[in-house]
Amino acid sequence: MESSGCLKDNKYLGVSKSNLEFMKISRIITVGCFLSCMLFSVQASKKPNVYLKWANEIAKSEITRNPQLWQADFVKKPKWGYTQGLNAYSLIKLYLTSKDTTYFNYVKTFADFFIDADGNIKTYKLEEYNIDRLNGGKFLFDMYDLTKDEKYLKAIKLLRKQIDNHPRTDIGVFWHKKVYPYQVWLDGLYMGAPFYAQCVKELKEPKANYDDVVKQLLFGDKVTLDLKTGLNFHAWDEKKVQAWANKENGHSPNFWGRSMGWYMMAMVDVLDFLPKTHPARKDIIANFKRLTDALAKYQDPKTHVWYQVTNIPNREGNYLESSCSAMYIYAIAKAINKKYLPKSYTKMVCESYDGFVQAFIQRNETGTISITNACAVAGLGGDPYRSGTFEYYISEPIRSDDPKVVGSFILASLEMAKFCK
């Protein structure tokens, strides 16, 4: 396998002789980034930028697998969803970096399939009040900036209307969905808050709305935080009526890796739009650092990536999970680039990226690459009922090329690439 720009020797995984030779060459080419990790500094690196190479290779593989972007997530019928939205968002960001119009055209075809001239979105139903649907529209801000086509702006405003009447807990945090009353899920903090924050900025809404965005993150953290570990439980039931909810505090039973990944990404992405002078910035950054430090305690010592159920890596049935690992890498690398975290965290994230490449990237006979070991889906409640137990989380299907890891890995690679500039 090829190396990342911060490659260290990974003797725990077998590689072919030809790949080993390539890895040696890659280490020489990317010595600047290797030194940046070892010295905890971001230094210049020789080209080519291996992080961008990985981003482009997985993006082109994804397009080969799914000629239409809506096909991501193994769906049979077009549906406006958060996973396709994540892929569209990551590919537009890759286009802005690479200027490869393949990505822009791919995303535009997707957008134009769903959005008509009046900004209506095919299959989207506002009255469902599903917070996931908002994440489907984050890429539209870039589409509007790039094309100035008013239909994209109209679609943004349509999604924004959902926020006005989206049901909330008594403390003011959005329900995850209308069908999940009084429940706050970490997943939902990512689905709603960054889109909301960008609307406040780009649509020039009253600055008081930033306080509402901040409430989602700070209150969401407070009600899911475990003081003992510093980690966040997957969800919280305000009314404590769900079978999965602790009857004393409303917490779900376990720490699910990807839910914390969504939350990590929510924090760094909201900070892109929150005014520099907003007093809550320091609180969000403090929560981010706390969770980063907590997660560092649970990294696999060989690969430096993370487990499906985060805090019990040695329990039988638990496994290294790619989507949460990609999300953590993205969020931590971005936090370093934005100076929310000091450069001393560079070694941690470089080791994790290298471990990710070695543990999860697979080269296929077709010439494409895949990312393995992603949890297909996990949730709480519903029908059939999802209990939130350890046994539940490890029982969900594990698959390759899940869009939740593909999109996150592209974003992670784009942030890591900045270390090499």
Side-chain angles (χ1 to χ4, degrees):
M1 294 184 181
E2 294 166 331
S3 71
S4 77
C6 299
L7 183 69
K8 297 180 69 176
D9 288 322
N10 288 305
K11 297 180 180 179
Y12 52 88
L13 286 170
V15 293
S16 67
K17 183 176 180 181
S18 61
N19 281 342
L20 184 60
E21 290 299 316
F22 182 83
M23 290 163 66
K24 291 177 181 178
I25 295 170
S26 295
R27 283 197 291 268
I28 295 170
I29 292 174
T30 58
V31 66
C33 276
F34 175 76
L35 289 173
S36 76
C37 293
M38 299 303 293
L39 299 174
F40 310 119
S41 63
V42 181
Q43 299 177 353
S45 172
K46 295 179 182 179
K47 301 299 181 181
N49 187 313
V50 180
Y51 302 114
L52 293 182
K53 178 183 180 299
W54 279 124
N56 281 287
E57 193 163 358
I58 193 64
K60 287 187 165 63
S61 296
E62 183 67 9
I63 292 171
T64 298
R65 278 188 290 269
N66 297 306
Q68 297 296 322
L69 195 154
W70 63 259
Q71 295 172 307
D73 218 4
F74 308 92
V75 299
K76 302 300 182 184
K77 296 180 180 179
K79 184 179 181 180
W80 183 259
Y82 73 94
T83 54
Q84 292 84 0
L86 174 62
N87 271 11
Y89 178 81
S90 68
L91 289 167
I92 280 295
K93 296 302 182 187
L94 181 56
Y95 163 70
L96 292 171
T97 298
S98 69
K99 305 305 179 186
D100 186 336
T101 56
T102 301
Y103 307 134
F104 173 79
N105 292 333
Y106 184 66
V107 174
K108 188 174 186 301
T109 298
F110 168 75
D112 292 346
F113 176 84
F114 278 93
I115 299 169
D116 67 20
D118 295 321
N120 299 308
I121 304 171
K122 191 179 299 184
T123 78
Y124 169 70
K125 297 177 182 178
L126 186 152
E127 64 275 10
E128 289 182 344
Y129 290 106
N130 182 339
I131 203 76
D132 289 343
R133 302 292 180 254
L134 301 184
N135 191 66
K138 284 200 325 188
F139 79 101
L140 295 176
F141 288 99
D142 284 326
M143 290 302 298
Y144 178 65
D145 287 342
L146 290 165
T147 66
K148 301 305 178 187
D149 191 328
E150 289 294 318
K151 71 179 183 181
Y152 300 133
L153 182 59
K154 291 175 182 177
I156 291 169
K157 291 180 178 180
L158 172 62
L159 293 168
R160 172 63 183 84
K161 286 181 181 179
Q162 179 179 323
I163 294 173
D164 291 336
N165 295 301
H166 195 98
R168 298 171 181 245
T169 63
D170 293 342
I171 63 170
V173 182
F174 298 131
W175 293 4
H176 188 60
K177 298 179 184 179
K178 185 178 179 180
V179 295
Y180 296 138
Y182 297 98
Q183 297 173 37
V184 175
W185 295 18
L186 294 181
D187 322 31
L189 300 181
Y190 176 77
M191 304 304 162
F195 175 81
Y196 189 7
Q198 193 165 5
C199 283
V200 177
K201 181 178 180 180
E202 302 293 346
L203 302 182
K204 302 187 182 340
E205 297 182 17
K207 290 186 177 180
N209 286 0
Y210 284 122
D211 298 335
D212 195 25
V213 174
V214 164
K215 179 191 297 183
Q216 306 305 311
L217 295 185
L218 296 187
F219 285 24
D221 184 89
K222 183 178 181 180
V223 298
T224 59
L225 175 62
D226 176 56
L227 294 175
K228 184 181 295 186
T229 62
L231 300 173
N232 291 81
F233 290 101
H234 184 177
W236 173 72
D237 173 16
E238 187 174 45
K239 301 303 181 183
K240 305 179 182 66
V241 297
Q242 289 296 314
W244 54 257
N246 183 300
K247 299 312 175 187
E248 293 183 4
N249 54 37
H251 292 156
S252 59
N254 281 288
F255 306 106
W256 179 40
R258 187 156 72 223
S259 70
M260 286 183 285
W262 290 125
Y263 176 42
M264 294 277 279
M265 295 202 300
M267 287 188 279
V268 292
D269 287 358
V270 161
L271 288 169
D272 285 343
F273 311 109
L274 196 64
K276 301 293 185 185
T277 56
H278 198 287
R281 287 183 68 89
K282 66 180 186 304
D283 299 316
I284 295 171
I285 292 170
N287 288 345
F288 184 90
K289 185 178 184 301
R290 182 213 75 231
L291 184 49
T292 301
D293 290 342
L295 288 168
K297 300 174 185 177
Y298 298 105
Q299 287 179 280
D300 175 62
K302 290 184 178 180
T303 62
H304 305 284
V305 295
W306 286 267
Y307 282 80
Q308 164 77 339
V309 182
T310 309
N311 64 319
I312 41 179
N314 297 322
R315 186 164 174 179
E316 185 178 356
N318 208 356
Y319 61 93
L320 296 175
E321 203 277 330
S322 59
S323 69
C324 73
S325 299
M327 290 174 178
Y328 300 157
I329 292 167
Y330 162 68
I332 295 168
K334 184 172 181 176
I336 295 168
N337 287 327
K338 296 283 189 176
K339 298 183 171 54
Y340 309 144
L341 291 177
K343 291 179 180 178
S344 56
Y345 286 79
T346 307
K347 181 175 185 289
M348 171 190 177
V349 76
C350 282
E351 288 178 338
S352 297
Y353 189 96
D354 291 329
F356 185 100
V357 169
Q358 296 297 321
F360 300 128
I361 289 186
Q362 169 186 292
R363 192 164 294 283
N364 304 315
E365 292 181 359
T366 59
T368 61
I369 61 171
S370 291
I371 304 178
T372 64
N373 273 54
C375 172
V377 66
L380 295 161
D383 183 20
Y385 199 85
R386 297 167 296 180
S387 62
T389 61
F390 173 84
E391 290 75 17
Y392 161 70
Y393 283 113
I394 65 168
S395 72
E396 287 286 12
I398 303 168
R399 63 191 186 186
S400 297
D401 305 318
D402 188 286
K404 295 176 285 293
V405 67
V406 169
S408 300
F409 180 69
I410 291 171
L411 293 173
S413 298
L414 291 174
E415 288 298 329
M416 293 294 292
K418 295 174 185 178
F419 292 0
C420 294
K421 289 184 178 178

